[in-house]
Amino acid sequence: MSLDEIRAPSARADSPLAAAVMAGRWIRSAAVDDERGRRWEANPDPRGASAVTPEPWSLYSGAAGIVLFFLELAAATGHEAYLEDARAGARRLAATWREQQDLTLYHGLTGVMVALMEAGWALGDDGFEAEAAAIADRIVSRGAESGDGVRWSGEPAQRGEGGIILGLLRAAAHLGRPAYEAAAVEAGRRIARLPVPGHRFGDCADLPLDAVTPGFLAGTSGTAFLLARLYGVTGEPLFLGAARSGAAFVREVSAVTGGCAVVPHHVPQARDLHYLGFCSGSAGVARMFYELYRVAGDPGDLEWAQRLARGIVTSGAPGRRSEGYWNVACQCCGTAGLIELFVGLWAATGDGSHLDYARVLAADLMGRATGDEREGYRWYQAYRRLRPGEVTADTGYMVGAAGIGAALLHLDAAAQAEHPRRVILLPDNPFPAIPLPHVA
């Protein structure tokens, strides 16, 4: 619940765009400049620390994600000052990426690469794209050093190799470098040969040793998404068969009631714990089924994405706080991630009920914001479900105001049929980059 309940509702932002501008104002207050550029404090609020381990460069909670948000805010408002925010952040990423060792999408260099590619394109700065290419070169060379084909770790899910491969596919298309795609495909073939791809036993914090996770960031759905994407790129039956294997596992463990479905957080111990968010719940799993539909055309996969969406609606969110949808607002496991799903489904299908529900979610988010026109908006949340008393407000993309603001900007773009604009979607988002149904 917001810590600012006494503020009059009339003082709150009256549109998703206005709320995103307020988010940008608060994030700006966290800027720290030095001779190499700009970073942002994870939590400038003197009342508490960040919800996550400091990663000043990362897509998840650091500068890479905030750069993407400011690029989108500039596109939505037309204000070039936001481009300067993004430029300062990208300059520091370009100057410091060689100090980082993590290669992953959300916590490492793959996410930095994505941010620099987008910054280079939006700002017309070839230097940022050159640094992105240098990162891709390092990632490919590190993968080839294993001596076992192209691989970077033993983790096939999105939080590991899956995210790296998706980033290389994005880089190959953006930078016109076929070698990046070749490395991604080679690494993907090894993953496709794993049994029931995408889940690891006993490799998630706080889970039993024999737990199996069907979710997105650390489970079967994310790896099946990757394999479906590789099928779309190559047309190789190996990838489609492996993706179908993962999807079949997810369907088998899901709970289906009528036209609705929900996914357990892990099995066999937590079949009745159903997260709704992106990282481990319905919003992420639905992406996998939609990607399968997008590349293979089976209407049954689209129906499963719709079932998962209906499961979210019938759960009572956002008004009802369940065990799998607690006091959390962010992209990773909260309301912002749900907005991304429903805006995407609307853009993919033209079903107006999805956009209507996204507006309900956005109204809830805007009502929970803390702050005013002077200081901007932040969102207090209990990021960790098992620590409900640990309430913080963060600036980052997956965990804080930048990602919440981005989701609100994507909803705003969906309402601008007369002025369609491209939004920045991460490599694991399968929905249209211009959020308008084809019928529009």
Side-chain angles (χ1 to χ4, degrees):
M1 182 174 292
S2 170
L3 301 184
D4 199 29
E5 291 179 334
I6 62 173
R7 181 158 50 91
S10 60
R12 300 184 186 277
D14 59 1
S15 72
L17 178 57
V21 169
M22 291 294 110
R25 188 165 297 170
W26 183 67
I27 294 168
R28 276 178 149 182
S29 74
V32 178
D33 291 331
D34 60 27
E35 69 280 0
R36 297 193 292 182
R38 179 171 300 167
R39 62 179 177 86
W40 292 267
E41 296 178 27
N43 183 355
D45 191 334
R47 286 186 280 180
S50 170
V52 294
T53 302
E55 294 176 347
W57 64 89
S58 77
L59 184 59
Y60 197 89
S61 59
I66 293 174
V67 165
L68 295 181
F69 167 64
F70 278 122
L71 291 174
E72 291 211 72
L73 196 55
T77 64
H79 294 322
E80 292 194 5
Y82 297 129
L83 291 180
E84 295 310 309
D85 290 306
R87 188 189 308 276
R91 187 162 63 87
R92 196 171 201 282
L93 290 174
T96 61
W97 69 261
R98 290 170 178 83
E99 301 169 9
Q100 312 305 329
Q101 297 302 314
D102 190 314
L103 300 180
T104 61
L105 174 63
Y106 281 105
H107 300 285
L109 286 178
T110 300
V112 173
M113 177 186 70
V114 170
L116 288 173
M117 286 191 298
E118 292 290 346
W121 183 84
L123 298 168
D125 191 322
D126 293 341
F128 290 146
E129 293 190 326
E131 293 296 328
I135 293 174
D137 290 340
R138 171 174 287 189
I139 291 170
V140 171
S141 66
R142 288 270 296 273
E145 291 171 359
S146 69
D148 183 23
V150 177
R151 61 182 297 171
W152 297 272
S153 71
E155 172 59 85
Q158 295 284 32
R159 64 175 182 169
E161 300 212 349
I164 295 172
I165 292 169
L166 289 173
L168 286 177
L169 292 174
R170 171 74 67 90
H174 185 103
L175 300 171
R177 304 283 185 90
Y180 302 155
E181 180 180 308
V185 170
E186 183 179 347
R189 290 194 184 103
R190 183 183 58 79
I191 294 173
R193 295 186 178 96
L194 297 174
V196 189
H199 62 267
R200 299 281 312 277
F201 291 88
D203 195 35
C204 293
D206 302 322
L207 294 185
L209 291 177
D210 61 343
V212 182
T213 54
F216 201 78
L217 277 188
T220 309
S221 294
T223 305
F225 175 99
L226 165 72
L227 295 166
R229 175 67 55 85
L230 286 167
Y231 172 72
V233 169
T234 67
E236 293 182 18
L238 169 69
F239 290 123
L240 182 59
R244 289 259 177 247
S245 176
F249 170 76
V250 174
R251 287 196 301 269
E252 181 180 349
V253 299
S254 295
V256 180
T257 304
C260 304
V262 289
V263 182
H265 181 268
H266 59 279
V267 293
Q269 299 90 351
R271 288 187 176 273
D272 296 326
L273 175 57
H274 304 126
Y275 276 34
L276 301 186
F278 158 76
C279 59
S280 302
S282 300
V285 176
R287 291 188 183 194
M288 178 268 289
F289 281 109
Y290 180 74
E291 179 71 1
L292 265 172
Y293 169 73
R294 190 182 71 83
V295 301
D298 185 339
D301 293 318
L302 178 59
E303 172 55 26
W304 257 88
Q306 303 270 31
R307 283 184 182 184
L308 290 159
R310 287 192 291 269
I312 293 171
V313 175
T314 58
S315 75
R320 177 176 176 264
R321 299 289 170 181
S322 65
E323 192 177 6
Y325 178 72
W326 59 101
N327 176 25
V328 64
C330 63
Q331 285 261 2
C332 185
C333 41
T335 311
L338 302 188
I339 291 175
E340 294 283 17
L341 170 66
F342 283 91
V343 169
L345 282 174
W346 173 75
T349 67
D351 184 342
S353 68
H354 293 316
L355 195 59
D356 291 341
Y357 187 64
R359 293 188 177 111
V360 171
L361 293 165
D364 177 76
L365 265 185
M366 291 188 291
R368 296 176 61 204
T370 294
D372 54 32
E373 289 191 0
R374 178 182 59 82
E375 64 183 17
Y377 280 2
R378 59 197 180 279
W379 280 264
Y380 286 96
Q381 61 179 0
Y383 171 71
R384 293 178 174 85
R385 182 181 67 88
L386 298 178
R387 302 180 192 175
E390 186 179 278
V391 177
T392 60
D394 278 69
T395 57
Y397 197 96
M398 294 305 294
V399 72
I404 293 170
L408 293 171
L409 290 176
H410 299 167
L411 176 58
D412 173 74
Q416 308 297 327
E418 67 280 11
H419 301 293
R421 70 175 188 263
R422 174 182 176 267
V423 299
I424 298 175
L425 301 181
L426 301 184
D428 56 13
N429 190 321
F431 297 114
I434 298 178
L436 290 175
H438 64 87
V439 294

